[in-house]
Amino acid sequence: MKILQSTIIFAIMLIFMPLLAYGAEYDSYIPLKSPPNDVDSAMNDDNKYLNREYFVHKLPIIKNLNLNGEELRIIYYDNSEHMLVWGNEHGDYLNGVYRYLGINALGENITNIDWPLDVPINPGAKLDDNCWIKFPWESNAIRQKLISRGESPISRSPWDGDTRFLPNIVKGLQAKHTAEFRGAPELTWTDYVHILQPPTYYGWGVGRAWHIKNGEIL
């Protein structure tokens, strides 16, 4: 695998915490007494929670993305929580960690929550104060940035812009960016975060956001 390229600057990682209530469409879900501990069980439970067949064993071949039917796999976190992704870890490799965990159903890279920020936050500065790009799934500038880095442009997901995910985004930021996040109440994070993977009852979700600094999209 290639080593970290200093010219590549990746957007900050935003994670979503499970176990939060959403809207009426999830009310019929009855959580398992114990978290699922294998791909099949997690896939079935997450699909039941989402009330749709989002997770499948194998992605169909997506020719324009050069994907060849990637296999679904499970990643475990604390308290038996999990994330489901397709394909293998890939991308830049630093201190035993890959930049990407795999891909989502649209073939977009799923970022690794353990990957360090490419642009360190200055002491006392807060993530909230960055110049975040609103509705990134509609931004041509972000599209061109991703293409220039050899990535697929993002597509709007069914969960983008849904304010029910605000508590998830805030809790994720509090968990992973404690020192850099103040929780600005005026920021509606769902306007800025592209949801790569939705959270489920026992499953972590993940999102991605972009901001502008010194005229560059980061």
Side-chain angles (χ1 to χ4, degrees):
M1 279 296 173
K2 60 182 179 179
I3 60 172
L4 174 67
Q5 299 177 24
S6 59
T7 55
I8 294 180
I9 301 175
F10 190 65
I12 67 165
M13 213 13 224
L14 305 177
I15 60 173
F16 300 84
M17 302 291 284
L19 313 182
L20 293 176
Y22 304 110
E25 65 264 40
Y26 301 104
D27 289 347
S28 62
Y29 171 78
I30 300 175
L32 301 175
K33 293 182 179 179
S34 299
N37 58 8
D38 59 72
V39 171
D40 282 341
S41 300
M43 180 183 71
N44 292 334
D45 188 62
D46 288 0
N47 284 340
K48 184 177 180 181
Y49 180 87
L50 295 170
N51 196 28
R52 66 174 69 191
E53 192 181 28
Y54 178 79
F55 294 103
V56 294
H57 278 294
K58 196 171 185 177
L59 279 183
I61 295 175
I62 308 175
K63 293 181 180 178
N64 61 323
L65 296 180
N66 296 317
L67 303 178
N68 296 307
E70 304 287 354
E71 296 282 350
L72 188 68
R73 64 186 181 87
I74 190 169
I75 301 169
Y76 295 103
Y77 293 102
D78 295 337
N79 304 316
S80 298
E81 294 160 1
H82 65 267
M83 183 184 293
L84 290 173
V85 302
W86 286 272
N88 298 315
E89 295 177 310
H90 62 279
D92 298 324
Y93 187 75
L94 180 67
N95 298 330
V97 177
Y98 283 97
R99 184 181 289 265
Y100 302 116
L101 295 172
I103 58 175
N104 67 6
L106 296 174
E108 300 168 337
N109 289 326
I110 293 183
T111 43
N112 192 337
I113 64 175
D114 294 323
W115 185 264
L117 291 175
D118 287 314
V119 182
I121 302 296
N122 294 328
K126 300 297 179 183
L127 291 173
D128 313 53
D129 300 323
N130 287 339
C131 184
W132 296 104
I133 298 177
K134 204 168 188 178
F135 311 134
W137 48 88
E138 297 177 357
S139 170
N140 187 58
I142 290 176
R143 176 183 176 85
Q144 295 304 317
K145 178 76 173 183
L146 293 173
I147 291 174
S148 72
R149 294 212 312 242
E151 293 193 49
S152 302
I154 62 173
S155 301
R156 181 167 186 168
S157 80
W159 304 278
D160 282 341
D162 191 333
T163 55
R164 292 175 299 174
F165 290 100
L166 271 173
N168 300 70
I169 298 172
V170 171
K171 284 183 176 292
L173 284 165
Q174 289 172 337
K176 300 302 293 186
H177 300 286
T178 304
E180 303 93 6
F181 180 67
R182 63 181 171 86
E186 69 274 12
L187 268 181
T188 305
W189 286 101
T190 46
D191 288 346
Y192 303 93
V193 177
H194 167 54
I195 298 180
L196 292 161
Q197 197 95 297
T200 60
Y201 193 87
Y202 288 113
W204 286 67
V206 64
R208 190 174 180 181
W210 291 261
H211 67 282
I212 299 174
K213 183 175 183 180
N214 298 327
E216 183 179 3
I217 295 177
L218 306 177

